[in-house]
C-alpha cells in the first residue's frame, strides 16, 4: 500500500475561512485577481507552506 503524504498533513493548518487566499481560491472565478501586499503576504506564505 502506498503512503500518501497529504494524509499526514492536518487539514486544519490553513482553513479556507481563516486564510484570505484559501478563501479567494475556493470562492472566486477563474479570471478574478487579488492584490498581494504587505498586509496579506504572511497568509499567502502560510498557504503555500501548507
Amino acid at each position: 500500500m502506498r503512503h500518501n503524504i497529504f494524509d499526514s498533513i492536518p487539514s486544519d493548518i490553513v482553513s479556507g475561512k481563516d486564510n484570505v487566499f484559501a478563501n479567494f481560491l475556493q470562492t472566486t472565478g477563474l479570471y478574478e485577481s487579488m492584490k498581494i501586499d504587505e498586509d496579506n503576504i504572511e497568509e499567502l506564505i502560510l498557504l503555500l507552506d501548507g
Side-chain angles (χ1 to χ4, degrees), residues 2-48:
R2 293 181 136 186
H3 175 70
N4 187 344
I5 192 167
F6 294 107
D7 291 338
S8 62
I9 299 173
S11 62
D12 61 348
I13 290 177
V14 177
S15 169
K17 62 184 175 185
D18 296 338
N19 187 293
V20 293
F21 288 102
N23 188 32
F24 173 77
L25 292 172
Q26 294 172 1
T27 60
T28 59
L30 181 61
Y31 296 104
E32 294 185 41
S33 62
M34 181 176 190
K35 183 177 179 179
I36 300 171
D37 57 17
E38 293 175 1
D39 297 330
N40 60 15
I41 190 70
E42 289 182 22
E43 292 190 23
L44 177 61
I45 292 169
L46 286 173
L47 179 67
L48 295 176

